[in-house]
Amino acid sequence: MKHYQYICMAALATALVTFTSCDYSEDQLEPSNNLTSYQLPEGTHDYDDSIQKFYNNYGVYLLYNFTEKYAYWTPSGWKKGEAATDSTSGSDGFIVKNADQNYVKQQLSLLNEVWFSRLNDAAKKKLLPTMILLCSEVDQMQTKYIYSPSFRMVYAPKPVYAHYNYDNICVTYGSSAAINITANDKKAFRKQLFEEWAQYISEHKAIPSDEFTTSVNYSSSTITKASKPLDCTAVGILNSGYNVSASKDWLNFILMMMLYPESYLTEDPGNISKWTSWNSYDANWNAVYDYDTNFHGILNPAKDVNGILKERYQMVRQYFINNFNFDLQSIGNNQ
């Protein structure tokens, strides 16, 4: 018994020494989703009242005076990227700049037009992220290949409209760019914003339901060997079989309802003989899922030859109606 007590005392002493010797920073001590110390309003502008009201009504922080902790912290690590220099390769992640406070009012108006006005109160309360960070710039690090004087892979910043990171979505147009924004700019902004928001929803608010996950057998050879789009849609999936899962399909169904009206999803897609791949490729040969081509007529018998996609689409749509009192398709129908 004494031997056991000595062991316990030694273990306790070691734990105390370890705890007291650690040097934790404030960022490490306070996770970004613990916002009890954050105070609104952030300033004395005329738009601060609307930001406060939005938080009071929906529990969502619209922040323009945020610190790096709120942008980059996640449970798995710090996500701030670093651009390459002549002597370094940089690092993966993203970089943001706070909004210019002279243009936050215009930025909020834009967000209301393309996003908030399309949602009912239930969706605003249950599906929006904890924080929406109002930025003047958002850069996503992407890989770039340098061939001279010697080959190396580096990280270079690529401007994007929005970026999702754990419990926040960072959005742009908190700058003079909001003044002369065009219809095409708004369309591109909305598309990327909804891509990020859909990812947030599928990871934090609504993972694939059991009904959806078991509606096809993802481990069957019929699915794993499917590669051409028409072979995939015939068995009810939205990507090549070797690169698909219930979570990826779930995300794509969410996206198709957000990005496109039901008429676009169900109309005759026309000649689909050239529809041989789910992806196109950017300048750096990164595969990009081709939403416009893939989702045009995706629920029409020309693509959905066995009607399985339409059944799964209805599962996802009804899930959000039942659990969130919100029809995702109303977003796409209101484009």
Side-chain angles (χ1 to χ4, degrees), residues 70-81:
Y70 291 89
Y72 302 122
W73 185 92
T74 75
S76 60
W78 194 254
K79 300 301 181 181
K80 184 177 182 180

Side-chain angles (χ1 to χ4, degrees), residues 155-156 252:
Y155 289 96
N252 279 328

Side-chain angles (χ1 to χ4, degrees), residues 289-315:
Y289 196 81
D290 190 349
Y291 297 117
D292 286 351
T293 300
N294 296 338
F295 292 155
H296 185 209
I298 193 67
L299 304 180
N300 186 284
K303 287 186 174 181
D304 185 19
V305 293
N306 293 316
I308 303 174
L309 288 176
K310 192 166 188 178
E311 291 179 2
R312 306 190 81 205
Y313 162 89
Q314 292 293 355
M315 289 178 193

Side-chain angles (χ1 to χ4, degrees), residues 76-148:
S76 60
W78 194 254
K79 300 301 181 181
K80 184 177 182 180
E82 182 181 349
T85 66
D86 291 340
S87 58
T88 68
S89 297
S91 62
D92 197 11
F94 68 105
I95 301 174
V96 297
K97 291 184 179 179
N98 295 61
D100 183 331
Q101 296 180 29
N102 293 313
Y103 299 99
V104 168
K105 187 173 183 177
Q106 291 86 345
Q107 186 180 28
L108 292 172
S109 177
L110 174 63
L111 288 173
N112 185 64
E113 178 185 347
V114 304
W115 194 3
F116 304 145
S117 64
R118 302 169 191 269
L119 313 180
N120 62 16
D121 283 351
K124 291 174 187 174
K125 290 178 181 178
K126 297 180 179 180
L127 294 175
L128 289 177
T130 304
M131 295 180 290
I132 298 172
L133 304 185
L134 307 177
C135 307
S136 59
E137 296 178 26
V138 180
D139 291 315
Q140 175 68 55
M141 291 301 159
Q142 65 174 1
T143 56
K144 184 178 180 180
Y145 300 103
I146 305 297
Y147 295 94
S148 179

Side-chain angles (χ1 to χ4, degrees), residues 231-247:
D231 294 334
C232 298
T233 58
V235 294
I237 60 176
L238 292 170
N239 211 325
S240 298
Y242 62 86
N243 190 37
V244 75
S245 64
S247 59

Side-chain angles (χ1 to χ4, degrees), residues 1 14 29 47 49-50 63 74 117 120 175 180 190 192 201 207 217 246 251 279 314 322 329:
M1 180 62 70
T14 301
L29 283 171
Y47 52 74
D49 287 342
S50 61
L63 304 178
T74 75
S117 64
N120 62 16
S175 67
N180 298 313
R190 183 179 65 240
Q192 192 164 81
I201 289 173
I207 61 174
N217 183 0
L251 173 60
N279 300 318
Q314 292 293 355
N322 292 345
Q329 187 60 67

